[in-house]
Amino acid sequence: MARDRGYWDQAVNLAKKHNIKEIDSLLAKYATYLLEKDKILSAVELYHKANHFIEAAKLLIKVEKFRTVLKDTEKQQTTAKRGVLPLVDIYSLLALCSCAAGTFSLCSKALIKLESSKELSEDLRILYDQLSLQIFTRHHQGQGVGTHHLSIMWS
């Protein structure tokens, strides 16, 4: 009856006091109730007080596994939120956007980074070099782009 009203502590104490054989099932029900209420440490404490150390240890292991999974998930979400991109992609986007916006000095800097990147194959380096030549041959006069990029391309 005490169990039905939610007085689990009293029910467990009465079961112990009167040496009721169903104490294990009562403990399991109370532990389930505590877990449903997200009172995991209370469930561990219950098992510990009842000298059910293995059950307490099992719950602690589950808690630790859950914490580990939660930490791993948080790390993955944090990395995804940061939007970590390879530097080649970042400089490519920067060069494209700055060229489209007409900020050729920024485009020049991004292309210089791309052309000097060790992540690019020689074929891609040549393509970026040709692209630089086309862009800066067409837009170098009066566009805020000095001969800096052109001199690097020719060297």
Side-chain angles (χ1 to χ4, degrees):
M1 189 158 153
R3 172 181 65 92
D4 294 333
R5 289 192 214 143
Y7 298 106
W8 287 100
D9 289 327
Q10 289 178 0
V12 171
N13 288 335
L14 286 171
K16 282 183 184 178
K17 183 178 180 180
H18 296 289
N19 215 9
I20 296 177
K21 295 179 182 180
E22 298 171 355
I23 188 74
D24 288 334
S25 67
L26 185 61
L27 283 172
K29 287 178 184 178
Y30 185 30
T32 301
Y33 168 80
L34 290 171
L35 293 172
E36 286 172 356
K37 299 292 183 185
D38 289 328
K39 296 182 178 184
I40 297 169
L41 295 180
S42 295
V44 170
E45 186 179 342
L46 168 74
Y47 280 130
H48 184 263
K49 284 181 181 177
N51 295 325
H52 286 77
F53 301 112
I54 293 174
E55 293 302 319
K58 285 179 183 178
L59 278 178
L60 286 173
I61 290 169
K62 285 181 183 179
V63 167
E64 189 57 36
K65 284 181 181 178
F66 178 74
R67 286 182 181 166
T68 302
V69 168
L70 189 60
K71 285 179 185 177
D72 290 344
T73 302
E74 286 174 352
K75 285 179 187 176
Q76 290 172 354
Q77 289 174 346
T78 301
T79 302
K81 285 179 186 175
R82 274 193 227 142
V84 178
L85 289 174
L87 283 176
V88 170
D89 291 349
I90 292 170
Y91 287 123
S92 295
L93 288 169
L94 185 58
L96 176 67
C97 292
S98 58
C99 182
T103 53
F104 296 105
S105 61
L106 183 57
C107 179
S108 173
K109 290 175 185 175
L111 287 169
I112 289 169
K113 291 286 190 180
L114 283 167
E115 291 169 11
S116 63
S117 172
K118 294 178 183 175
E119 296 177 32
L120 289 180
S121 67
E122 188 59 31
D123 291 339
L124 280 175
R125 257 188 253 280
I126 291 169
L127 287 174
Y128 276 115
D129 187 52
Q130 291 172 353
L131 177 63
S132 298
L133 184 60
Q134 289 176 1
I135 291 170
F136 296 107
T137 301
R138 191 174 303 151
H139 297 286
H140 80 283
Q141 293 178 344
Q143 299 292 327
V145 177
T147 57
H148 175 68
H149 190 85
L150 290 174
S151 65
I152 288 175
M153 290 190 313
W154 296 110
S155 55

